[in-house]
Amino acid sequence: MEDALAERLLPWYREHRRDLSFRRTKDPYAILVSEVLLQRTRVVSGVPYFERFMARFPTVVDLANASEEQVLKAWEGLGFYGRARNLHRAGKAIVGDHSGQVPRTFAGLRELPGIGDYTAGAVASIAFGERVSAIDGNAARVLARVFRILGDLTRGEARKRLVGIGESLVPPSDPGAYNQALMELGATVCRPRTPLCTTCPLGSLCGAYRDGNPERYPQRFVRPPPPVIRVAFALVERKGKVLLVRRPSGGLLAGLWALPGGEIIGKTSAGAAIRESLKDLGVRGRVLGVSGRVDHTFSHRRWTGTVHRVRASGPTRLGGDALWAGPKEIQRLPLVPFHRRFLERGRGDDAAGTGTIRDLDMGEPF
DNA sequence: TTCCGGGATC
DNA sequence: GATCCCGGAA
Protein backbone atom coordinates (compact mmCIF):
# COMPACT_ATOMS: atom_id res chain seq x y z
CA MET A 1 0.00 0.00 0.00
CA GLU A 2 2.83 2.37 0.89
CA ASP A 3 4.10 2.98 -2.61
CA ALA A 4 0.90 2.05 -4.37
CA LEU A 5 -0.78 5.28 -3.32
CA ALA A 6 2.04 7.52 -4.54
CA GLU A 7 2.40 5.48 -7.72
CA ARG A 8 -1.19 6.12 -8.65
CA LEU A 9 -1.35 9.65 -7.36
CA LEU A 10 1.67 11.14 -9.10
CA PRO A 11 0.77 10.24 -12.70
CA TRP A 12 -2.79 11.34 -12.05
CA TYR A 13 -1.53 14.67 -10.70
CA ARG A 14 0.73 15.32 -13.67
CA GLU A 15 -2.26 14.83 -15.91
CA HIS A 16 -5.02 16.54 -13.97
CA ARG A 17 -3.54 19.23 -11.78
CA ARG A 18 -5.11 22.63 -12.15
CA ASP A 19 -2.82 25.24 -13.65
CA LEU A 20 -2.66 27.68 -10.75
CA SER A 21 -0.34 30.65 -10.51
CA PHE A 22 1.16 29.63 -7.19
CA ARG A 23 2.15 26.28 -8.70
CA ARG A 24 4.24 27.96 -11.38
CA THR A 25 6.80 29.38 -8.96
CA LYS A 26 9.78 27.80 -7.27
CA ASP A 27 10.43 30.84 -5.13
CA PRO A 28 10.22 29.64 -1.50
CA TYR A 29 8.92 33.02 -0.38
CA ALA A 30 6.08 32.89 -2.91
CA ILE A 31 5.27 29.34 -1.86
CA LEU A 32 5.22 30.42 1.76
CA VAL A 33 2.89 33.31 0.93
CA SER A 34 0.56 31.04 -1.01
CA GLU A 35 0.36 28.47 1.77
CA VAL A 36 -0.43 31.02 4.47
CA LEU A 37 -2.92 32.72 2.23
CA LEU A 38 -4.67 29.44 1.47
CA GLN A 39 -5.09 28.45 5.12
CA ARG A 40 -8.81 27.95 5.66
CA THR A 41 -9.34 29.38 2.20
CA ARG A 42 -10.49 27.77 -1.01
CA VAL A 43 -7.95 27.80 -3.82
CA VAL A 44 -10.23 29.61 -6.25
CA SER A 45 -10.88 32.49 -3.91
CA GLY A 46 -7.27 32.71 -2.76
CA VAL A 47 -5.59 32.87 -6.16
CA PRO A 48 -6.41 36.51 -7.03
CA TYR A 49 -5.19 37.57 -3.60
CA PHE A 50 -1.97 35.64 -4.13
CA GLU A 51 -1.33 37.38 -7.44
CA ARG A 52 -2.02 40.81 -6.01
CA PHE A 53 0.05 40.10 -2.93
CA MET A 54 3.05 39.02 -4.98
CA ALA A 55 2.74 42.04 -7.25
CA ARG A 56 2.61 44.28 -4.20
CA PHE A 57 5.36 42.50 -2.20
CA PRO A 58 7.52 40.66 -4.75
CA THR A 59 10.27 39.75 -2.30
CA VAL A 60 10.45 39.00 1.40
CA VAL A 61 12.35 42.27 1.82
CA ASP A 62 9.42 44.17 0.34
CA LEU A 63 7.13 42.43 2.80
CA ALA A 64 9.40 43.07 5.77
CA ASN A 65 9.70 46.75 4.88
CA ALA A 66 5.97 47.24 4.43
CA SER A 67 3.75 48.66 7.14
CA GLU A 68 1.26 46.40 8.81
CA GLU A 69 -1.47 48.55 7.31
CA GLN A 70 -0.20 47.92 3.79
CA VAL A 71 -0.13 44.17 4.39
CA LEU A 72 -3.59 44.26 5.88
CA LYS A 73 -4.83 46.19 2.85
CA ALA A 74 -3.64 43.39 0.58
CA TRP A 75 -5.51 40.96 2.83
CA GLU A 76 -8.78 42.89 2.96
CA GLY A 77 -11.67 40.54 2.18
CA LEU A 78 -9.76 37.31 2.80
CA GLY A 79 -10.67 36.97 6.46
CA PHE A 80 -8.71 35.60 9.41
CA TYR A 81 -6.69 38.79 9.47
CA GLY A 82 -4.31 37.40 12.08
CA ARG A 83 -2.78 35.50 9.17
CA ALA A 84 -1.71 38.77 7.53
CA ARG A 85 -0.14 40.04 10.71
CA ASN A 86 1.65 36.73 11.27
CA LEU A 87 2.88 36.57 7.69
CA HIS A 88 4.23 40.10 8.07
CA ARG A 89 5.98 39.08 11.28
CA ALA A 90 7.33 35.97 9.56
CA GLY A 91 8.71 38.14 6.76
CA LYS A 92 10.46 40.38 9.26
CA ALA A 93 11.88 37.32 11.04
CA ILE A 94 13.18 35.87 7.76
CA VAL A 95 14.90 39.12 6.89
CA GLY A 96 16.07 39.85 10.42
CA ASP A 97 17.08 36.42 11.67
CA HIS A 98 17.65 34.33 8.53
CA SER A 99 19.49 36.69 6.18
CA GLY A 100 16.41 36.94 4.00
CA GLN A 101 16.33 33.20 3.28
CA VAL A 102 13.20 31.20 4.00
CA PRO A 103 14.15 28.40 6.44
CA ARG A 104 14.72 25.20 4.48
CA THR A 105 13.49 22.64 6.99
CA PHE A 106 10.20 21.74 8.59
CA ALA A 107 11.65 22.49 12.03
CA GLY A 108 12.96 25.88 10.95
CA LEU A 109 9.72 26.88 9.24
CA ARG A 110 7.68 25.70 12.19
CA GLU A 111 9.30 28.37 14.36
CA LEU A 112 7.90 31.21 12.26
CA PRO A 113 4.74 32.93 13.46
CA GLY A 114 1.58 31.70 11.76
CA ILE A 115 3.27 28.52 10.53
CA GLY A 116 1.78 25.36 11.98
CA ASP A 117 2.29 21.73 11.08
CA TYR A 118 0.42 21.93 7.80
CA THR A 119 2.11 25.04 6.43
CA ALA A 120 5.60 23.99 7.56
CA GLY A 121 5.08 20.61 5.88
CA ALA A 122 3.76 22.14 2.69
CA VAL A 123 6.60 24.65 2.29
CA ALA A 124 9.32 22.20 3.35
CA SER A 125 8.14 19.57 0.88
CA ILE A 126 7.12 21.79 -2.04
CA ALA A 127 9.90 24.36 -1.91
CA PHE A 128 12.73 22.25 -0.52
CA GLY A 129 11.85 18.61 -1.20
CA GLU A 130 11.91 17.54 2.44
CA ARG A 131 10.12 14.26 3.03
CA VAL A 132 7.38 15.49 5.34
CA SER A 133 3.63 15.33 5.07
CA ALA A 134 1.23 18.24 4.63
CA ILE A 135 -2.27 17.19 5.54
CA ASP A 136 -4.86 19.84 4.85
CA GLY A 137 -8.59 19.19 5.03
CA ASN A 138 -8.67 17.78 1.51
CA ALA A 139 -5.84 15.34 2.12
CA ALA A 140 -7.38 14.36 5.45
CA ARG A 141 -10.64 13.49 3.74
CA VAL A 142 -8.88 11.31 1.16
CA LEU A 143 -6.92 9.45 3.84
CA ALA A 144 -9.98 9.07 6.05
CA ARG A 145 -11.76 7.35 3.18
CA VAL A 146 -8.88 5.24 1.94
CA PHE A 147 -8.10 3.98 5.44
CA ARG A 148 -11.63 4.21 6.85
CA ILE A 149 -10.68 6.47 9.72
CA LEU A 150 -13.66 7.22 11.92
CA GLY A 151 -13.83 9.89 14.61
CA ASP A 152 -12.92 13.56 14.80
CA LEU A 153 -9.88 14.05 12.60
CA THR A 154 -8.94 17.26 14.36
CA ARG A 155 -8.19 15.67 17.72
CA GLY A 156 -7.49 12.61 19.80
CA GLU A 157 -7.00 9.11 18.51
CA ALA A 158 -8.40 9.78 15.04
CA ARG A 159 -5.97 12.65 14.58
CA LYS A 160 -3.05 10.46 15.64
CA ARG A 161 -4.01 7.72 13.23
CA LEU A 162 -4.46 10.20 10.41
CA VAL A 163 -1.08 11.83 10.97
CA GLY A 164 0.70 8.52 11.47
CA ILE A 165 -0.68 7.06 8.27
CA GLY A 166 -0.16 10.32 6.38
CA GLU A 167 3.51 10.55 7.36
CA SER A 168 4.24 6.93 6.51
CA LEU A 169 2.99 7.34 2.95
CA VAL A 170 5.11 10.29 1.80
CA PRO A 171 7.53 9.03 -0.86
CA PRO A 172 11.19 10.04 -0.71
CA SER A 173 11.19 11.35 -4.26
CA ASP A 174 9.22 14.54 -4.95
CA PRO A 175 7.26 14.65 -1.69
CA GLY A 176 6.02 18.11 -2.68
CA ALA A 177 4.24 16.81 -5.76
CA TYR A 178 2.87 13.91 -3.74
CA ASN A 179 1.45 16.19 -1.05
CA GLN A 180 -0.10 18.47 -3.63
CA ALA A 181 -1.50 15.49 -5.49
CA LEU A 182 -3.24 14.22 -2.37
CA MET A 183 -4.75 17.65 -1.69
CA GLU A 184 -5.71 18.16 -5.32
CA LEU A 185 -7.45 14.80 -5.41
CA GLY A 186 -9.43 15.78 -2.33
CA ALA A 187 -10.36 19.14 -3.79
CA THR A 188 -11.46 17.95 -7.21
CA VAL A 189 -12.37 14.24 -7.02
CA CYS A 190 -12.64 13.04 -3.45
CA ARG A 191 -15.09 15.84 -2.67
CA PRO A 192 -16.96 16.10 0.62
CA ARG A 193 -20.24 15.23 -1.05
CA THR A 194 -20.79 13.11 -4.15
CA PRO A 195 -17.15 12.12 -4.65
CA LEU A 196 -16.28 11.09 -8.19
CA CYS A 197 -15.15 7.59 -7.31
CA THR A 198 -15.54 6.28 -10.83
CA THR A 199 -12.76 8.56 -12.07
CA CYS A 200 -10.58 8.27 -8.97
CA PRO A 201 -7.07 6.95 -9.63
CA LEU A 202 -7.08 5.19 -6.27
CA GLY A 203 -10.02 2.99 -7.20
CA SER A 204 -10.25 -0.06 -5.00
CA LEU A 205 -7.22 0.97 -2.98
CA CYS A 206 -9.86 2.95 -1.11
CA GLY A 207 -11.50 1.14 1.79
CA ALA A 208 -14.57 3.34 1.83
CA TYR A 209 -15.04 2.86 -1.90
CA ARG A 210 -14.84 -0.91 -1.51
CA ASP A 211 -17.47 -0.61 1.21
CA GLY A 212 -19.60 1.56 -1.03
CA ASN A 213 -19.92 4.37 1.51
CA PRO A 214 -17.26 7.04 0.87
CA GLU A 215 -19.53 9.79 2.16
CA ARG A 216 -19.47 8.25 5.59
CA TYR A 217 -15.91 9.59 5.94
CA PRO A 218 -14.79 11.77 7.49
CA GLN A 219 -17.45 11.84 10.16
CA ARG A 220 -19.19 15.19 10.55
CA PHE A 221 -19.99 16.66 13.91
CA VAL A 222 -22.81 19.06 14.56
CA ARG A 223 -21.77 22.65 14.72
CA PRO A 224 -24.08 24.62 16.99
CA PRO A 225 -25.35 27.79 15.32
CA PRO A 226 -23.33 30.84 16.39
CA PRO A 227 -24.87 33.19 18.95
CA VAL A 228 -26.54 36.23 17.41
CA ILE A 229 -25.12 39.53 18.66
CA ARG A 230 -26.81 42.88 18.06
CA VAL A 231 -24.63 45.58 16.56
CA ALA A 232 -25.01 49.21 15.57
CA PHE A 233 -22.63 51.31 13.50
CA ALA A 234 -22.56 54.98 12.62
CA LEU A 235 -22.00 56.58 9.25
CA VAL A 236 -20.86 59.97 10.50
CA GLU A 237 -20.44 62.64 7.89
CA ARG A 238 -18.71 65.95 8.05
CA LYS A 239 -17.62 68.09 5.12
CA GLY A 240 -17.83 65.16 2.71
CA LYS A 241 -15.71 62.91 4.89
CA VAL A 242 -16.66 59.90 6.98
CA LEU A 243 -15.52 58.99 10.46
CA LEU A 244 -13.50 55.78 10.73
CA VAL A 245 -11.95 54.06 13.73
CA ARG A 246 -9.18 51.50 13.80
CA ARG A 247 -10.17 48.24 15.42
CA PRO A 248 -7.93 46.86 18.18
CA SER A 249 -4.90 44.88 17.08
CA GLY A 250 -6.28 41.65 18.52
CA GLY A 251 -9.67 40.02 18.18
CA LEU A 252 -12.32 40.23 15.52
CA LEU A 253 -11.34 42.09 12.31
CA ALA A 254 -8.13 43.11 14.05
CA GLY A 255 -6.45 46.23 12.78
CA LEU A 256 -9.01 47.03 10.10
CA TRP A 257 -10.61 50.45 9.86
CA ALA A 258 -14.32 50.40 10.61
CA LEU A 259 -17.37 52.53 11.14
CA PRO A 260 -17.62 53.53 14.79
CA GLY A 261 -19.95 51.39 16.86
CA GLY A 262 -20.04 47.69 17.47
CA GLU A 263 -21.69 45.12 19.66
CA ILE A 264 -24.57 46.27 21.83
CA ILE A 265 -24.67 45.07 25.40
CA GLY A 266 -28.00 44.20 27.00
CA LYS A 267 -31.17 46.07 26.12
CA THR A 268 -29.50 49.32 25.09
CA SER A 269 -31.10 50.83 21.99
CA ALA A 270 -29.10 51.15 18.81
CA GLY A 271 -29.32 54.93 18.96
CA ALA A 272 -28.09 55.06 22.52
CA ALA A 273 -25.23 52.71 21.74
CA ILE A 274 -24.13 54.90 18.85
CA ARG A 275 -24.34 58.12 20.84
CA GLU A 276 -22.26 56.46 23.52
CA SER A 277 -19.49 55.33 21.20
CA LEU A 278 -19.36 58.70 19.46
CA LYS A 279 -19.21 60.52 22.77
CA ASP A 280 -16.19 58.40 23.64
CA LEU A 281 -14.55 59.62 20.45
CA GLY A 282 -15.33 63.24 21.32
CA VAL A 283 -17.74 63.61 18.41
CA ARG A 284 -20.99 65.55 18.80
CA GLY A 285 -23.94 65.31 16.47
CA ARG A 286 -27.36 63.93 15.85
CA VAL A 287 -28.55 60.49 14.72
CA LEU A 288 -30.64 61.02 11.59
CA GLY A 289 -31.88 57.56 10.69
CA VAL A 290 -31.09 54.11 9.46
CA SER A 291 -29.11 53.83 6.25
CA GLY A 292 -28.58 50.10 6.07
CA ARG A 293 -28.43 46.74 7.73
CA VAL A 294 -25.61 44.45 8.78
CA ASP A 295 -25.98 40.69 8.89
CA HIS A 296 -22.63 38.99 9.00
CA THR A 297 -21.59 35.59 10.30
CA PHE A 298 -18.09 34.95 11.61
CA SER A 299 -16.68 31.61 12.77
CA HIS A 300 -18.21 31.84 16.18
CA ARG A 301 -20.75 34.66 16.26
CA ARG A 302 -23.23 36.41 14.06
CA TRP A 303 -23.62 40.17 13.90
CA THR A 304 -27.00 41.56 13.06
CA GLY A 305 -28.05 45.19 13.27
CA THR A 306 -28.16 48.58 11.66
CA VAL A 307 -26.02 51.36 10.26
CA HIS A 308 -27.19 54.84 11.24
CA ARG A 309 -26.52 58.13 9.49
CA VAL A 310 -25.20 60.73 11.82
CA ARG A 311 -24.70 64.43 11.15
CA ALA A 312 -21.68 65.62 13.11
CA SER A 313 -21.63 69.13 14.47
CA GLY A 314 -18.81 71.32 15.65
CA PRO A 315 -15.08 70.68 15.59
CA THR A 316 -13.63 67.39 16.71
CA ARG A 317 -10.21 66.35 17.86
CA LEU A 318 -9.58 62.73 17.05
CA GLY A 319 -6.91 60.46 18.46
CA GLY A 320 -4.59 58.25 16.38
CA ASP A 321 -7.10 55.46 16.04
CA ALA A 322 -9.79 57.61 14.45
CA LEU A 323 -9.85 59.82 11.38
CA TRP A 324 -12.06 61.65 8.92
CA ALA A 325 -11.71 59.73 5.67
CA GLY A 326 -12.21 61.20 2.22
CA PRO A 327 -12.34 59.14 -0.97
CA LYS A 328 -8.55 58.78 -1.01
CA GLU A 329 -8.35 57.31 2.47
CA ILE A 330 -11.34 55.08 1.82
CA GLN A 331 -9.46 53.65 -1.13
CA ARG A 332 -6.11 53.37 0.64
CA LEU A 333 -7.02 52.00 4.07
CA PRO A 334 -7.82 48.40 4.96
CA LEU A 335 -11.52 48.50 5.79
CA VAL A 336 -13.95 46.04 7.28
CA PRO A 337 -15.23 44.52 4.03
CA PHE A 338 -18.89 44.67 4.90
CA HIS A 339 -18.55 48.32 5.92
CA ARG A 340 -16.94 49.35 2.68
CA ARG A 341 -20.19 49.22 0.76
CA PHE A 342 -21.73 51.87 2.97
CA LEU A 343 -18.80 54.16 2.29
CA GLU A 344 -18.66 53.63 -1.43
CA ARG A 345 -22.35 54.15 -1.80
CA GLY A 346 -21.44 57.57 -0.52
CA ARG A 347 -23.78 59.79 1.36
CA GLY A 348 -26.58 57.32 0.69
CA ASP A 349 -30.01 58.56 1.51
CA ASP A 350 -31.74 56.45 4.09
CA ALA A 351 -32.05 53.22 2.22
CA ALA A 352 -35.50 51.91 1.57
CA GLY A 353 -36.35 48.41 2.63
CA THR A 354 -34.44 48.59 5.87
CA GLY A 355 -37.59 49.17 7.86
CA THR A 356 -38.07 52.04 10.24
CA ILE A 357 -36.39 51.68 13.55
CA ARG A 358 -38.52 53.20 16.28
CA ASP A 359 -36.03 54.87 18.48
CA LEU A 360 -37.86 57.72 20.12
CA ASP A 361 -34.85 59.74 21.19
CA MET A 362 -33.20 59.22 17.82
CA GLY A 363 -33.04 62.83 16.74
CA GLU A 364 -31.74 64.25 20.00
CA PRO A 365 -28.46 66.08 19.72
CA PHE A 366 -25.65 64.70 21.85
C1' DT B 1 -31.68 31.80 4.04
C1' DT B 2 -28.76 28.39 6.05
C1' DC B 3 -24.99 25.21 5.72
C1' DC B 4 -20.41 23.93 5.23
C1' DG B 5 -15.53 23.63 4.60
C1' DG B 6 -10.93 25.18 5.33
C1' DG B 7 -5.47 25.81 9.91
C1' DA B 8 -3.33 28.34 13.53
C1' DT B 9 -2.74 30.50 18.08
C1' DC B 10 -2.76 31.00 22.95
C1' DG C 1 -11.09 24.78 24.66
C1' DA C 2 -11.92 29.28 22.66
C1' DT C 3 -10.87 32.61 18.87
C1' DC C 4 -10.43 33.98 14.37
C1' DC C 5 -13.96 34.98 8.20
C1' DC C 6 -15.70 34.26 3.78
C1' DG C 7 -17.93 32.50 -0.38
C1' DG C 8 -20.18 28.98 -2.84
C1' DA C 9 -23.45 25.28 -2.46
C1' DA C 10 -27.75 23.67 -0.92
Side-chain angles (χ1 to χ4, degrees):
Chain A
M1 180 59 121
E2 280 70 57
D3 317 336
L5 205 68
E7 278 170 20
R8 298 214 191 178
L9 230 29
L10 287 167
W12 173 86
Y13 184 59
R14 279 194 289 276
E15 179 81 8
H16 295 282
R17 59 182 237 158
R18 291 170 288 178
D19 180 29
L20 302 164
S21 50
F22 61 84
R23 288 188 174 147
R24 287 183 222 132
T25 181
K26 299 182 71 176
D27 173 12
Y29 161 69
I31 292 169
L32 174 63
V33 168
S34 73
E35 290 299 341
V36 172
L37 194 143
L38 291 172
Q39 290 168 0
R40 296 282 256 175
T41 302
R42 281 184 178 74
V43 163
V44 281
S45 39
V47 161
Y49 283 89
F50 170 72
E51 290 168 4
R52 265 183 278 138
F53 197 96
M54 291 308 297
R56 184 84 178 74
F57 311 108
T59 71
V60 70
V61 174
D62 298 312
L63 176 60
N65 288 339
S67 69
E68 190 169 305
E69 196 153 82
Q70 291 171 322
V71 178
L72 218 39
K73 177 64 186 173
W75 216 264
E76 183 191 307
L78 252 185
F80 294 110
Y81 297 96
R83 293 183 294 168
R85 150 182 297 239
N86 283 334
L87 181 57
H88 189 212
R89 289 170 55 210
K92 286 176 181 289
I94 290 167
V95 169
D97 306 339
H98 298 88
S99 326
Q101 302 298 306
V102 174
R104 302 178 63 85
T105 64
F106 177 90
L109 288 158
R110 191 65 179 75
E111 298 293 313
L112 296 171
I115 308 297
D117 287 342
Y118 166 75
T119 310
V123 176
S125 63
I126 297 169
F128 301 115
E130 185 175 349
R131 190 186 170 200
V132 288
S133 65
I135 309 174
D136 74 341
N138 291 310
R141 183 170 52 254
V142 176
L143 295 174
R145 285 173 177 165
V146 172
F147 297 95
R148 292 178 287 204
I149 304 172
L150 289 170
D152 184 345
L153 299 181
T154 69
R155 67 222 308 146
E157 217 39 53
R159 177 86 209 159
K160 277 188 196 154
R161 269 194 75 201
L162 174 71
V163 170
I165 291 172
E167 287 174 344
S168 74
L169 294 170
V170 182
S173 75
D174 211 344
Y178 166 83
N179 284 331
Q180 292 186 84
L182 197 60
M183 297 189 273
E184 185 79 345
L185 186 73
T188 61
V189 174
C190 194
R191 310 181 299 192
R193 271 167 302 216
T194 62
L196 308 173
C197 297
T198 52
T199 65
C200 180
L202 301 184
S204 56
L205 284 184
C206 178
Y209 174 66
R210 291 199 302 273
D211 291 351
N213 59 3
E215 291 195 67
R216 184 174 171 209
Y217 306 88
Q219 280 184 291
R220 294 186 241 277
F221 297 88
V222 286
R223 183 200 299 186
V228 178
I229 316 279
R230 293 169 57 227
V231 291
F233 295 97
L235 191 59
V236 188
E237 295 172 62
R238 179 169 166 277
K239 297 182 184 167
K241 297 190 170 194
V242 176
L243 180 60
L244 295 178
V245 296
R246 211 173 86 90
R247 295 184 55 83
S249 55
L252 218 49
L253 305 168
L256 295 177
W257 290 85
L259 299 178
E263 299 190 355
I264 301 174
I265 313 297
K267 295 200 292 273
T268 311
S269 73
I274 281 175
R275 285 191 294 273
E276 202 50 48
S277 50
L278 292 182
K279 241 194 262 177
D280 292 346
L281 289 167
V283 173
R284 303 167 59 75
R286 173 191 302 264
V287 181
L288 299 180
V290 176
S291 72
R293 287 204 59 87
V294 166
D295 186 0
H296 193 83
T297 305
F298 299 92
S299 319
H300 55 301
R301 63 220 284 114
R302 175 174 172 177
W303 278 2
T304 178
T306 40
V307 176
H308 300 250
R309 285 182 63 212
V310 173
R311 158 116 37 230
S313 57
T316 50
R317 284 196 308 281
L318 300 175
D321 283 340
L323 58 76
W324 292 103
K328 281 288 262 300
E329 286 76 32
I330 289 173
Q331 199 186 18
R332 179 174 56 84
L333 295 172
L335 296 187
V336 169
F338 56 89
H339 282 169
R340 181 171 285 286
R341 59 192 176 97
F342 296 107
L343 298 165
E344 291 182 341
R345 200 173 60 197
R347 328 287 156 271
D349 44 344
D350 295 11
T354 57
T356 305
I357 302 290
R358 276 285 146 242
D359 188 346
L360 293 179
D361 52 352
M362 182 89 86
E364 286 295 301
F366 55 89

